[in-house]
């Protein structure tokens, strides 16, 4: 039982589990196919400053998450974001203020996962392709053919479609993951040398190619000379245009933004597009986490709960709780 625990995925779910296990005195080793942590909470450094291309903000409704977000705030990892909110639909663009508390990582969304990772041991640029159990322990195989192990348990903390194959040692877990449909989101960033003449800082949209836009500079702690905006296409538009090339995606979403924003839109001095293939589960679940505790195989992620940042954190906590409970 002394071998470390492998955690595949350094998004918020994997790091939430890692923190809980580390705090309980267990050794963890993390793996991620990307070059850094954060997953769908990652931020991209660009000529237009740092851009949150995935999660835009988050809310905290569960008491446990509310408490942890307060600790993150005290450490300076997050701050409240109170944008001037609008709503866009067939009636046009209208102010839509509310009382909801919304949080963002500071100075960028990825600050949270970076701080949670701290000095925990991690292999980046390491895509795990196989997870198998030998006589006593687990071994992981990566895309370069290298093996990693031995591990006493494995937590798979990737989006459901990427988890299915990694869970094949526990067919029930694999089929639960396989049943989850995850929908794509096209994200576009546009940056303007002259600030746009609008009060909009965040806008929910319906009946448009877009379902959300945010003004980057309205978030606390953001830098950058340019007035940069992040636009998210709706799931249905993203599905219909899944294989469109990036230039065409930028052009079409720029057009939808021009229709929505109601002020002159100059040509952007910077633009980029990013496709999130597994952006959000088509529906929520109430699994918390998936576990075959006798085998020592677990799965967590936003798709086990609400498909939001809060769900990812809670799911990681639940995977860790079930693992610790089994070891008592
Ligand atoms: P992820 O963040 O996806 O982490 C999984 C990690 O696993 C990734 O780092 C990935 O690289 C790694 N991985 C995958 N396969 C392998 C493999 N084979 N080997 C090694 N590593 C692997 N939520 C909100 O609450 N508010 C929002 O405003 C919001 N907006 C969003 C907008 C967009 C465009 C997107 C995409 C998501 C948004 N979300 C939002 C959802 C939120 O980002 C997610 O719920 C949350 O970040 C998911 O965390 P996770 O740890 O479950 O998964
Ligand atoms: P929230 O309470 O701010 O928003 C939930 C939903 O309520 C919004 O999607 C919007 O439809 C509506 N809403 C909230 N405030 C509004 C207002 N002032 N005016 C008009 N409509 C309003 O936040 P949450 O529950 O934490 O949800 C997180 C957000 O993340 C959601 O907007 C969700 O769509 C988004 N998300 C996006 C993706 C993606 O891939 N694009 C993935 C996961 C989550």
């Amino acid at each position: 039982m002394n071998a470390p625990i492998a955690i595949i995925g350094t998004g918020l779910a994997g790091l939430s589990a890692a923190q809980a296990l580390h705090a309980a005195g267990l050794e963890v080793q993390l793996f991620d196919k990307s070059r850094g942590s954060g997953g769908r909470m990652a931020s991209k450094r660009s000529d237009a400053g740092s851009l949150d291309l995935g999660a835009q903000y988050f809310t905290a409704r569960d008491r446990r998450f509310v408490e942890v977000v307060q600790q993150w705030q005290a450490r300076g990892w997050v701050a409240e974001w109170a944008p001037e909110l609008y709503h866009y639909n067939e009636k046009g663009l209208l102010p839509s203020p509310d009382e909801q508390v919304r949080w963002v990582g500071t100075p960028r969304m990825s600050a949270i996962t970076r701080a949670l990772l701290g000095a925990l041991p991690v292999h980046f640029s390491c895509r795990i392709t196989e997870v198998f159990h030998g006589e006593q322990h687990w071994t992981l195989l990566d895309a370069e053919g290298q093996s990693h192990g031995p591990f006493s348990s494995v937590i798979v903390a990737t989006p459901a479609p990427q988890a299915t194959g990694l869970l094949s040692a526990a067919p029930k877990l694999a089929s639960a993951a396989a049943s989850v449909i995850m929908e794509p989101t096209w994200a576009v960033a546009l940056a303007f040398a002259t600030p746009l003449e609008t009060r909009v800082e965040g806008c929910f949209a319906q009946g448009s190619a877009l379902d959300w836009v945010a003004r980057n500079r309205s978030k606390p702690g953001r830098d950058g000379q340019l007035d940069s905006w992040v636009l998210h296409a709706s799931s249905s538009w993203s599905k219909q245009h899944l294989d469109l090339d990036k230039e065409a995606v930028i052009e079409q979403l720029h057009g939808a933004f021009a229709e929505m924003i109601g002020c002159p839109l100059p040509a952007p001095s910077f633009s980029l597009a990013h496709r999130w293939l597994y952006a959000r589960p088509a529906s929520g679940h109430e699994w918390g986490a998936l576990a075959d505790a006798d085998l020592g195989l677990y799965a967590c992620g936003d798709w086990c709960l609400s498909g939001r940042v809060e769900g990812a954190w809670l799911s990681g906590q639940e995977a860790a709780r079930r693992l610790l409970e089994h070891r008592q």
Side-chain angles (χ1 to χ4, degrees), residues 8-14 31-34 36-41 53-59 126-129 157-159 162 166 185 187 232 276 278-280 300-303 307-310 312:
I8 307 169
T10 62
L12 189 60
F31 297 85
D32 205 295
K33 67 180 175 60
S34 299
S37 62
R40 281 170 280 157
M41 289 176 81
L53 290 179
Q56 295 295 294
Y57 66 84
F58 56 93
T59 57
C126 182
R127 186 163 66 83
I128 302 301
T129 52
T158 69
Q162 291 161 324
L166 304 177
T185 295
H232 283 164
W276 297 98
Y278 305 125
R280 57 170 138 206
C300 60
D302 64 337
W303 51 276
R308 296 156 48 237
V309 167
E310 180 178 53

Side-chain angles (χ1 to χ4, degrees), residues 57 59 61 85 87 96 98 102 185 204 232 279-280 307-308:
Y57 66 84
T59 57
R61 299 190 169 108
L85 278 178
H87 186 222
S96 190
D98 66 19
R102 296 181 173 83
T185 295
F204 297 101
H232 283 164
R280 57 170 138 206
R308 296 156 48 237

Side-chain angles (χ1 to χ4, degrees), residues 106-158:
T106 48
R108 56 189 72 88
M109 198 52 108
S110 60
I112 303 166
T113 49
R114 176 176 283 236
L116 289 174
L117 179 62
L120 291 175
V122 60
H123 296 262
F124 284 125
S125 304
C126 182
R127 186 163 66 83
I128 302 301
T129 52
E130 269 184 62
V131 175
F132 60 91
H133 200 255
E135 290 217 339
Q136 288 194 336
H137 288 112
W138 291 97
T139 301
L140 310 185
L141 203 63
D142 70 26
E144 307 286 309
Q146 243 199 304
S147 67
H148 305 266
F151 297 108
S152 56
S153 303
V154 177
I155 299 181
V156 177
T158 69

Side-chain angles (χ1 to χ4, degrees), residues 284-298:
H285 296 89
E286 290 186 4
W287 296 326
L290 304 179
D292 186 327
D294 291 332
L295 258 186
L297 189 59
Y298 301 81

